[in-house]
Amino acid sequence: MLELWVRYRKYSRLLLVLLASFSLLTLQQARPEGQWLTEAVAAVTAPVQAGFARIHRRALGLWTTYLEWKALRADAERLRAEVTALRFRQLRQDELDAENERLRALLALRERLAVRTIGAEVVAREWNGFTRGLTINRGRTDGLERLAPVIVTRGVVGRVMELRRESAVIQLVTDPASSIGGVVNRTRAQGLVEGVAGGRLRLKVAAREEGVTVGDLVFTSGIGGLFPKGLPLGRIVRVHPPTNLFRIADLEPAVDLATVEEVLILPRGGAGDLGDAFSGA
Amino acid sequence: MKLPLYFLAVGGGTLIQSTVVPVLGFWGVVPDFPVVLVVLLALRRGPEVGCVIGFALGLAQDVIAGGPLGLQALSKGVIGFVAGELPRWCLLSNPLVPVTAAVVATVADGALRFAVLQLFHYPAAFGELLGSVILPQAAYNGVLAAVLVALPAVRVRA
C-alpha cells in the first residue's frame, strides 16, 4: 500500500486534495453551524487584513491627495495661461478701442474743418533735446506740401518740415526752432509761440499786455499765412515778469505730443478761421 | 527548504487577493491572483506542489470569501495539478505558456466551481457567468500573468 502511495505520489496527493475538498463541502452541508475551520482561519487572517486595509486606505488617501494636487496644479497652470491670454486680449482690445476713439474724433474733426485734409499715421519719433519731430507715412506722392500745418483733435502738432516721396518729417510746436503766431483767446493779445528745449512752449507777447494770466488759452493767430486762425496751441501755466520789451508766459501744449499716433495735415495757408471746429477743445 | 516559500505564497497570495486586488478592478472585473500564482508555481514546481498550494490558497479564499468551504480549494487544487503536468508537453521557456495556462486555468477554475456549485443549487446560468465573470477575469489574469512573467525574478526561474 505504501509502495503504491509512493509510486503514484502525485496522483495520491491530488486524490487527497479532492477528498479533503469534498469532505469539507460535505461536512459543511451536513453541519453548517460548525464552521470551526472558518473561525480559526479568520481569527488569524482578520487582524492582518485589517492592517492591510488601513495601509491601503492611507495609500489610497495619499494617492487621491496627490491626484487632486496634480489636478489643481494643472488647473492653476491652465487658468494662469488663460488669465495671461485674456489680459493680452484685453490690452489689445483697449488699444483698438483707443485707436478707434482717436480715429473717430479725427474723422469728426476732418468733417468739421470743411477743408481738404490728409490723414497720416505717425511711424517714427525724434525726441532728442535739440530737435523734436515726427515721421509720418504720407509724402509728396500724397499731395503733401512743405510747411503745411499738422493738427489733431486737441490742437496743433507742428508743420511739415521735410518732404519725401512717401513720408514726411513734422517739426513739432515744441521744437526749439518752431515759432508760430499766437493769440490769447480772452484778451486777444498777439504774440509768438515758440518751442523750448525740454519739450515746453512759451508765449512771447509785448510787455504792455498786462491782462495775460494763468489759465488763458492760446490759439493760432493766422498771422504769417502758414497756420489758419483758431487752432489751439496751449494753456498758460505761468506768467513771468516783463523784461524790457516782452512778457513771457509758459504754456502747456494743447496736444500731448508724446502720444500722438494719427494726424491730419491741412493745406498750407488760406484755410481761414478754423476756431469753430475746436470750440470744444 | 521550500516550505517557507510556499507558506509565503499562500499567505501573501491570499492577502494580496483580499486587499490589493480589489483596487485593481476595471469595469467590475477583478483578477483572481491566486489562480495566476498557482499556475506559475505549478509550472515550475510540478503537479504535487501545484495541487497542494492550489488547495491551500483555495481554502484560504473560501474562508475569507465566505462561500462553500472547499469549493475553491477543490478547483484550485485541480488546476494546480493540471498546470503542474504542462511542462511534460510544453516548453516553459516560451513566455506564452504561462500566460495561456493562466487564461485556460481561470476558465477551468470557473467551470469547475460552477459545476460543484450545482450541488448547492446555484441559481445563475453558466452562459451568463461565463460572459460576465469568467472570461473577463480570464483575460485579466492573462495580462497579470504576462506582467509577472516579464518580471526579471520570475523570468530567470523559467
Side-chain angles (χ1 to χ4, degrees):
Chain A
M1 184 66 183
L2 188 66
E3 190 184 337
L4 273 174
W5 180 262
V6 174
R7 191 171 171 185
Y8 297 103
R9 205 172 74 170
K10 65 181 181 186
Y11 294 110
S12 56
R13 287 209 181 167
L14 176 64
L15 190 64
L16 205 63
V17 162
L18 289 174
L19 278 173
S21 301
F22 277 113
S23 303
L24 284 168
L25 284 165
T26 311
L27 283 170
Q28 180 177 237
Q29 279 291 82
R31 294 175 58 202
E33 73 284 357
Q35 305 266 348
W36 59 269
L37 183 60
T38 308
E39 297 286 345
V41 176
V44 175
T45 55
V48 184
Q49 278 181 297
F52 267 88
R54 270 197 300 276
I55 293 168
H56 171 241
R57 266 200 302 276
R58 281 182 193 166
L60 200 65
L62 272 175
W63 178 247
T64 309
T65 308
Y66 168 71
L67 286 180
E68 281 173 359
W69 172 79
K70 208 173 159 188
L72 281 173
R73 199 174 133 178
D75 278 354
E77 276 173 16
R78 184 177 52 76
L79 288 172
R80 204 172 291 138
E82 263 180 40
V83 166
T84 307
L86 285 171
R87 275 186 188 154
F88 182 74
R89 197 183 297 174
Q90 184 62 47
L91 282 173
R92 196 178 156 79
Q93 186 60 47
D94 290 349
E95 179 72 18
L96 283 173
D97 286 350
E99 186 182 6
N100 192 25
E101 202 176 318
R102 284 196 314 270
L103 289 173
R104 275 174 186 277
L106 213 58
L107 194 63
L109 173 67
R110 192 176 185 177
E111 284 168 4
R112 284 199 305 273
L113 287 172
V115 288
R116 193 184 72 87
T117 57
I118 298 168
E121 196 179 331
V122 174
V123 293
R125 294 167 198 274
E126 180 60 39
W127 278 140
N128 68 57
F130 298 95
T131 57
R132 287 181 175 266
L134 301 175
T135 304
I136 56 172
N137 64 346
R138 299 281 187 175
R140 204 182 302 116
T141 53
D142 299 296
L144 253 62
E145 299 169 293
R146 192 169 178 275
L147 302 179
V150 181
I151 61 168
V152 290
T153 52
R154 297 187 70 83
V156 178
V157 172
R159 73 187 96 194
V160 176
M161 186 52 76
E162 197 177 317
L163 202 55
R164 297 163 187 164
R165 188 178 153 74
E166 286 179 342
S167 66
V169 177
I170 299 166
Q171 181 193 56
L172 296 180
V173 284
T174 53
D175 186 289
S178 168
S179 179
I180 302 170
V183 58
V184 179
N185 191 40
R186 189 175 57 80
T187 64
R188 309 310 297 171
Q190 303 268 345
L192 274 178
V193 175
E194 298 171 337
V196 182
R200 289 176 289 110
L201 285 176
R202 73 179 169 202
L203 171 69
K204 197 188 276 183
V205 292
R208 66 172 185 280
E209 298 288 356
E210 292 176 350
V212 174
T213 57
V214 172
D216 282 345
L217 297 174
V218 180
F219 289 78
T220 52
S221 63
I223 292 172
L226 283 177
F227 281 83
K229 196 176 170 184
L231 304 177
L233 278 166
R235 180 190 299 272
I236 295 174
V237 291
R238 186 181 174 195
V239 181
H240 295 275
T243 55
N244 293 336
L245 290 173
F246 299 107
R247 186 184 293 273
I248 304 290
D250 291 340
L251 295 186
E252 180 190 18
V255 179
D256 181 4
L257 296 165
T259 60
V260 169
E261 292 189 41
E262 299 91 13
V263 295
L264 283 180
I265 297 109
L266 298 172
R268 189 175 69 179
D273 188 348
L274 299 179
D276 290 344
F278 291 92
S279 54
Chain B
M1 283 294 277
K2 305 285 183 197
L3 209 58
L5 177 74
Y6 298 150
F7 272 111
L8 187 71
V10 173
T14 306
L15 284 171
I16 286 173
Q17 180 64 24
S18 65
T19 54
V20 180
V21 169
V23 185
L24 305 176
F26 284 111
W27 299 291
V29 182
V30 177
D32 193 341
F33 180 65
V35 167
V36 180
L37 197 61
V38 166
V39 167
L40 293 180
L41 270 171
L43 284 173
R44 283 152 187 76
R45 305 285 174 203
E48 292 169 56
V49 171
C51 184
V52 174
I53 295 290
F55 175 80
L57 269 168
L59 190 62
Q61 273 189 282
D62 282 335
V63 168
I64 288 167
L69 203 61
L71 177 67
Q72 295 198 64
L74 174 69
S75 64
K76 287 186 173 59
V78 171
I79 63 164
F81 182 83
V82 176
E85 290 287 355
L86 282 179
R88 288 170 63 184
W89 299 290
C90 305
L91 271 177
L92 270 186
S93 54
N94 183 351
L96 277 179
V97 170
V99 175
T100 311
V103 173
V104 175
T106 311
V107 177
D109 179 68
L112 207 54
R113 277 155 68 183
F114 179 81
V116 176
L117 278 172
Q118 296 312 298
L119 299 171
F120 297 85
H121 308 292
Y122 186 64
F126 183 67
E128 187 189 335
L129 203 67
L130 188 72
S132 60
V133 178
I134 299 173
L135 287 180
Q137 194 174 55
Y140 204 154
N141 276 359
V143 174
L144 196 61
V147 171
L148 287 174
V149 166
L151 293 175
V154 180
R155 207 165 45 227
V156 168
R157 286 168 184 272

